[in-house]
Amino acid sequence: MEQPTDWTEPGAHLVAPGVHRVPLALPIPSLHAVNVYVIEDSDGIVVVDSGWAMPDTRTSLEDALRALGHGLDDVAQFLVTHAHWDHYSQALALRESFGTRVRIGRGEQPSIEAFDTGAGLHPRQVELLRRCGAGALADEIAGAPVDSSERDVLYTRPDGWLDDGERIDLPGRGLDVFATPGHTRGHIVLRDADAGLLFAGDHILPHITPSIGLETEPEPKPLRSYLESLRLVRGMPDTLLLPAHGPVKPSVHTRIDELLEHHAERLDEAAARVRAGATTAFEVAAAMPWTRRKRALGDLDAFSRMLAVLEIDAHLDVLADRGVLDSHDEAGVRRYAVKN
């Protein structure tokens, strides 16, 4: 199905019979928008992901549904790929208004139940940054004010959990649930095998690599889980890629191959930096280029620097698991060296 040149163009864009992509704006300049997917069936509308709970995004979703002949109260349920605000929070807000059922991957339960803005937005990440040897950055993140759009967001339990291997039967359509931990520990994708569609959330994005383990309660080895999840989906027959950020793409396999190659290169480069004398995740990250523009770590904003350092920490953990590097903790900082 033909899509607009600008994937963020508002509206309801047909991607397959009975399925429309609705981009909703985000208060995050680097992401621009999030795609939610409207599935029409005789029992009511099912929406995959929901957008960030803000008045403008609610209006945009309402306008898109109206163009399809529906209202917000026609949404029977939200199926949410993971618990980040741009996917989960508007579903919770609309549940307050209409009683809409909300379901999300069971693996998100620890982070949902532990979430508390009173502890700051990223308390666990602050701890990890200190372990990475990035104490000054940890202080900067810990001291950052919590924006009202983040502080006031609803963040409560869903009405039900989505389990790996579950099949969601809709009139004329079946969606298979696959746990794909990595981006978050409870991330799931939804696969419509008959229609050749993968509702991929943030697991597979067409133009960027998703962050790893940015959540209230991250798992110990998020990159290992992410790479395993990519290989899981790569082992399935190819389908259309319906991502949460970016345009629809014709091949899930093509993008997975690119992501696996990217991480293989990053693993090689991280190991090379340790061989050159870097000993902490912060030192390795500071020695590597970032973004497509090959920017220095210090030129990034604090949030992006946090993601970069934690990404390298995850890569170094994988290298240690594979026996490429040794690691030990010294005064609360994890240090790495080439394995003899």
Side-chain angles (χ1 to χ4, degrees):
M1 305 289 178
E2 186 173 354
Q3 298 291 300
T5 303
D6 179 2
W7 72 271
T8 68
E9 181 179 315
H13 309 292
L14 185 68
V15 296
V19 181
H20 290 79
R21 180 181 64 85
V22 178
L24 301 175
L26 292 175
I28 307 172
S30 59
L31 286 180
H32 307 297
V34 60
N35 292 319
V36 305
Y37 293 91
V38 177
I39 302 172
E40 298 179 277
D41 71 59
S42 58
D43 289 343
I45 304 302
V46 174
V47 179
V48 178
D49 289 329
S50 70
W52 194 302
M54 300 184 297
D56 288 349
T57 56
R58 177 173 173 146
T59 298
S60 295
L61 180 58
E62 188 172 25
D63 289 345
L65 290 174
R66 185 181 300 113
L68 298 175
H70 303 289
L72 291 173
D73 57 345
D74 291 324
V75 178
Q77 63 176 320
F78 285 98
L79 304 174
V80 182
T81 59
H82 62 294
H84 283 165
W85 285 317
D86 52 328
H87 298 256
Y88 190 41
S89 63
Q90 184 155 250
L92 298 176
L94 292 175
R95 180 177 69 180
E96 290 290 305
S97 297
F98 301 106
T100 313
R101 182 170 169 78
V102 178
R103 300 180 69 198
I104 196 168
R106 187 176 296 277
E108 297 293 66
Q109 186 171 355
S111 286
I112 290 172
E113 294 183 346
F115 181 79
D116 176 13
T117 54
L121 286 180
H122 307 292
R124 179 60 177 143
Q125 284 66 42
V126 168
E127 294 175 11
L128 292 173
L129 286 172
R130 298 194 193 285
R131 191 190 75 173
C132 291
L137 178 57
D139 291 341
E140 188 174 354
I141 295 295
V146 180
D147 184 85
S148 62
S149 67
E150 298 168 314
R151 183 187 63 246
D152 299 336
V153 73
L154 292 165
Y155 208 72
T156 54
R157 289 170 60 95
D159 299 289
W161 304 106
L162 296 170
D163 290 310
D164 184 43
E166 178 180 347
R167 183 172 177 84
I168 301 169
D169 289 313
L170 305 176
R173 187 185 306 274
L175 299 176
D176 293 306
V177 179
F178 293 94
T180 51
H183 179 61
T184 66
R185 67 193 298 168
H187 193 291
I188 58 98
V189 299
L190 299 165
R191 190 169 187 272
D192 183 339
D194 291 338
L197 307 175
L198 184 77
F199 299 90
D202 283 2
H203 181 53
I204 306 163
L205 300 176
H207 291 156
I208 59 176
T209 58
S211 62
I212 302 297
L214 182 64
E215 53 194 324
T216 312
E217 291 292 332
E219 62 173 304
K221 304 288 183 181
L223 181 59
R224 181 176 62 187
S225 293
Y226 181 63
L227 296 176
E228 290 173 353
S229 296
L230 285 177
R231 295 186 185 102
L232 169 74
V233 179
R234 183 62 174 83
M236 303 173 189
D238 205 3
T239 61
L240 196 70
L241 172 60
L242 304 182
H245 307 284
V248 172
K249 291 292 183 179
S251 171
V252 168
H253 285 182
T254 297
R255 183 53 179 157
I256 289 178
D257 290 344
E258 293 170 351
L259 288 167
L260 289 172
E261 178 63 23
H262 165 79
H263 284 289
E265 291 173 356
R266 293 305 256 183
L267 286 164
D268 288 344
E269 188 168 6
R273 300 297 179 178
V274 174
R275 291 190 191 98
T279 65
T280 67
F282 177 71
E283 291 173 355
V284 172
M288 294 173 66
W290 293 95
T291 77
R292 295 178 182 179
R293 300 179 182 178
K294 306 297 183 182
R295 298 172 67 188
L297 181 71
D299 293 337
L300 305 179
D301 62 82
F303 182 77
S304 297
R305 278 182 279 138
M306 176 182 73
L307 294 182
V309 172
L310 295 180
E311 177 185 323
I312 292 304
D313 183 51
H315 282 80
L316 294 174
D317 277 348
V318 167
L319 289 168
D321 281 349
R322 292 179 179 178
V324 176
L325 301 179
D326 277 324
S327 67
H328 70 278
D329 291 347
E330 180 181 310
V333 174
R334 180 156 298 175
R335 297 194 178 274
Y336 294 87
V338 177
K339 194 175 186 70
N340 294 323

